[in-house]
Amino acid sequence: MGQRLVLKFGGTSVGSAEAMCQAAEIVRSVQADGHEVAVVTSAMSGVTDLLLGSAHAAVKGARLTVVEHTAAIRTRHEAAADKLGLRGDDRHLVLDPITARLSELSLLCDALGVLGEASPRALDAVGALGERMSVHLLAAALRSRGVTAHAVDAARVVRTDDTFQAAVPLMEDTRRLAAVELLPLLAAHEVPVITGFIGATADGVVTTLGRGGSDYSGAIVGAAIDADEVWIYTDVDGVMTADPRVVRGVQTLESLSYLEMSELAYFGAKVLHPKTIRPALERGIPIRIKNTFNPTHPGTLVVGRSDDGGGGLKGVTAIRAQSLVTIAGRGMLGVPGIAARAFGAVARTGTSVSMISQASSEQSICFLVAEKSAVTVIEALRTEFHHELERRDIEDISSLDPVVIVTVVGGAIKRTPGVAGRVFGALGTDGINVIAIAMGSSECSISLVVASPDADRSVQRLHDLIVAG
Ligand code: ASP
Ligand code: MG
């Protein structure tokens, strides 16, 4: 039975004419297997950076940079159009909208130059242009393979709020729009090729979902059209058990649960944008991560629950360059509100906290922030608690850096007794000192803080544990 699928292609998968041909061939063969296919695409790799670089250069009055970036973007797209062998009408169908987007870029940059500043809304207008160009090339590559494909601007489909740069999709409106804009195409066995990364407000103002957000678009479209699966095509075989640059013997995971995937994505496995999980989870739509350049590899499946392999431990990641901030003092014991005030003060500096741990004696709270924010955070805390510091209720507010958060992820942590013991045992036998610990209540991960020089060794030891199963 044919399924309804969303195939999402990342920047490298559409980074050149050759890559686009590969992607188009995948879409053609999936459709030929009898499936309904909606495609979501990123901008050509590097183009979003060039666009935003132009905007920032325009603000600073660096006109030459704007001109150079614009020329580079034009060349990338024109070269791809040439290599795709587009001629006649199809060449116009592709290059006319691209030329229009490039003129829009120039106008926007002129305006930014005059204003001398770029609002989040303006940055979204500029940043969105990459997908609004690549979509035409990919649709043409499909047509040249005999697939009836249409470029679709997600501004017509994905309705969002107006949080520019991190817009939140409004799913009910998006479902309604998708029913009008996408379902008739699918019913006619035509392929909509939809811009990832972007949406629009009810007033039609273009928004973006945040950098790397086209994965999220794939899941949003999948949820909106009740897809059977969302396939995320990237340039690696799937989600790996660890970063292959740090760890020996990494493996590609066959499957993992939504929860495990979100922990891994949050703690640094870059394969999938962390927000992608939510729309898929809410509708129970499996996500498959696959390699455009190795399409026969089964990839990684992300589903509701997954028990295979590794004794139930799935992966280990590290977040580096962290600072461990400690607020300590005997006068904190039993005093309500210290934690609230501490995190309030941190929040006001605009710093996000990556991990928290408090021992039950309540004589200290410690948490982690990026090393570069430590000085600001400590200052804010000293101001907040200057009375307590004077009275010596709080004796010290200090930081330890650089440290690394090592996180091991796996549903087994919740289900199987003794997993935490094995984790600490593995580090202990290797003489690695664990400075702080946190286990989320989702119980799907354990995070440990270690000194920077111990980080790689910790990750390797925990990975050995995963592979040993
Ligand atoms: N093109 C956007 C970016 O580079 C979105 C994406 O590729 O996922 O951030
Ligand atoms: Mg990506």
Side-chain angles (χ1 to χ4, degrees), residues 42-43 48 131 197 211-215:
S42 286
T48 312
E131 275 72 6
F197 183 48
R211 289 309 305 272
S214 56
D215 295 340

Side-chain angles (χ1 to χ4, degrees), residues 8 10-11 42 212-215 234 270-273:
K8 183 260 157 176
S42 286
S214 56
D215 295 340
T234 177
K270 290 278 183 296
V271 217
L272 196 67
H273 191 282

Side-chain angles (χ1 to χ4, degrees), residues 168 200 235 338 421:
V168 179
D235 52 8
I338 299 268

